[in-house]
């Protein structure tokens, strides 16, 4: 999942600005929800285990949506 500063121009999120703090908040929120996400520059790498069931997958993506929505404010 690519993180951008503006959805229209799709400018990559600059991790060396205050946006780095936002990524920390996203990561903290996800870890508290039991979801581990790897970051590489402005990319969120979502790699669920092969044995994940539908309920767990929905829960993980719900947690991701909540964390991103909170960070967007």
């Amino acid at each position: 999942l690519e993180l951008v500063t503006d959805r229209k121009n799709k400018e990559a999120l600059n991790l060396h600005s205050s946006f780095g703090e936002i990524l920390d908040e996203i990561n903290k929120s996800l870890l508290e929800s039991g979801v581990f996400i790897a970051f590489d520059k402005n990319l969120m790498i979502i790699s669920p285990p092969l044995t994940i069931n539908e309920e767990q997958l929905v829960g993980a993506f719900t947690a991701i949506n909540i964390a991103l929505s909170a960070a967007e404010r």
Side-chain angles (χ1 to χ4, degrees):
L1 181 65
E2 184 177 14
L3 301 175
V4 296
T5 57
D6 185 337
R7 290 181 183 181
K8 281 189 176 184
N9 66 17
K10 298 182 181 175
E11 180 181 344
L13 190 66
N14 182 353
L15 302 183
H16 300 292
S17 67
S18 62
F19 292 113
E21 295 173 13
I22 293 171
L23 288 183
D24 289 341
E25 290 178 29
I26 291 170
N27 196 32
K28 181 180 176 185
S29 174
L30 291 173
L31 288 174
E32 288 172 356
S33 299
V35 177
F36 176 77
I37 297 289
F39 290 94
D40 182 14
K41 298 182 183 175
N42 69 317
L43 300 176
M44 284 179 66
I45 301 168
I46 303 166
S47 183
L50 296 175
T51 58
I52 194 167
N53 65 38
E54 184 176 353
E55 182 180 341
Q56 293 168 323
L57 190 61
V58 169
F61 279 104
T62 298
I64 292 168
N65 188 34
I66 290 168
L68 290 175
S69 295
E72 192 174 34
R73 294 183 196 139

